[in-house]
Amino acid sequence: MANTAGKFGPYPAPVLTAPVRSTGTSSSTAAARLPVRQQTGAELIRSRIALRVRLGVLASGERLPDTGVIAEELGMSEMTVRRALETMCQDGLLDRRRGRVGGTFVATNWDAVIEAFRDADQAASLEDFHLLLECGLVARSAGELPPDWASGLQAVVEEMNATVDHAELLRLETCFHLGLAEALGNGMAGEEVADLLGRLCLLATVPDAGRLQEANKHHADLLTALELGRLDAAVGAVKAHCLAATSPTS
Ligand SMILES: [Zn+2]
């Protein structure tokens, strides 16, 4: 040690201190500037359950799968799942029932309870991040769309045009953006977009039916622009859609 220290005498001090200082500074700055922090395990479970309720995979009053099943699906420990569900029960989002037909259930008044968790500032940050991700996906896909990539998305647009049911419109709205990430993300962005949309299900104010139908025009514009290879128009449609979703209701 003495030899090494002596041999590299002038160097150890700056080499040892410089990385520590720079790492500390850069990470704290990044954390302060990043509007969207990563979710904890419990938050991820919460947002994934919210996403499933939005998508109609889980209905109000329906029993959740066993903790082991949820843990495996999300790659979490059963302990984390149990704790997350416990918190959701305390918050009134889930109900725990004992006995032979017991288990953990989605609260029958989920829609009413969830209103207490809306957070416009956090939702705006997540919407911004989602916009960034979608613009990136659109740009990345330019000229590289697989055949028949849009048929599922086109069907969602048509279904949205054909319904006035609010819950169904909300479900389809979420389906469209999940499907878009799947279609354009080449298997890379689906999880991230599902995380974002799940969080938005909890935090963002729900647009009314008219607004959702109005915003569906941007979906159609986006698909047309991508089909035509018009990158500028495609990005324009994504931006216009985000603006329509986040601007205050008049
Ligand atoms: Zn949309």
Side-chain angles (χ1 to χ4, degrees):
M1 282 305 275
N3 275 351
T4 312
K7 191 175 174 189
F8 299 105
Y11 304 108
V15 166
L16 282 173
T17 54
V20 171
R21 197 169 51 224
S22 72
T23 308
T25 312
S26 66
S27 68
S28 63
T29 311
R33 282 184 192 159
L34 263 183
V36 177
R37 68 171 173 78
Q38 218 163 6
Q39 296 190 97
T40 63
E43 286 167 339
L44 179 79
I45 292 159
R46 193 183 178 94
S47 64
R48 283 304 171 97
I49 290 174
L51 185 63
R52 285 179 191 197
V53 173
R54 172 66 58 85
L55 292 173
V57 179
L58 275 172
S60 294
E62 191 175 329
R63 190 180 185 279
L64 258 63
D66 291 335
T67 49
V69 175
I70 301 175
E72 202 176 323
E73 275 179 25
L74 296 176
M76 302 265 170
S77 74
E78 276 198 60
M79 180 64 87
T80 307
V81 174
R82 227 170 283 134
R83 281 190 190 141
L85 299 190
E86 189 58 52
T87 309
M88 289 182 76
C89 285
Q90 286 163 9
D91 287 341
L93 291 162
L94 301 177
D95 273 331
R96 185 148 292 158
R97 292 176 215 158
R98 303 197 184 280
R100 210 156 46 86
V101 286
T104 309
F105 296 78
V106 179
T108 47
N109 57 343
W110 170 277
D111 287 338
V113 177
I114 211 173
E115 287 303 324
F117 298 96
R118 301 294 186 216
D119 183 324
D121 290 341
Q122 272 198 65
S125 293
L126 292 168
E127 295 277 9
D128 277 351
F129 195 59
H130 184 223
L131 172 67
L132 203 65
L133 212 58
E134 277 197 344
C135 286
L137 285 171
V138 164
R140 186 186 168 280
S141 72
E144 287 181 22
L145 290 165
D148 212 25
W149 69 278
S151 56
L153 295 168
Q154 204 71 59
V156 173
V157 170
E158 280 157 29
E159 281 182 71
M160 281 188 84
N161 277 333
T163 185
V164 289
D165 183 82
H166 191 214
E168 180 64 356
L169 281 166
L170 266 179
R171 183 184 77 80
L172 290 165
E173 170 63 38
T174 307
C175 276
F176 182 88
H177 294 276
L178 282 172
L180 188 70
E182 289 293 335
L184 303 184
N186 209 10
M188 289 188 299
E191 289 288 309
E192 279 68 20
V193 170
D195 289 351
L196 281 172
L197 294 178
R199 293 164 87 175
L200 283 168
C201 288
L202 287 161
L203 299 169
T205 309
V206 171
D208 63 26
R211 206 158 163 142
L212 286 165
Q213 281 180 315
E214 196 62 26
N216 190 35
K217 288 177 188 154
H218 304 300
H219 297 161
D221 289 347
L222 171 62
L223 297 184
T224 307
L226 283 170
E227 283 292 359
L228 296 172
R230 294 260 329 269
L231 189 56
D232 53 345
V235 168
V238 170
K239 283 185 184 172
H241 182 277
C242 185
L243 204 67
T246 53
S247 62
T249 324
S250 49

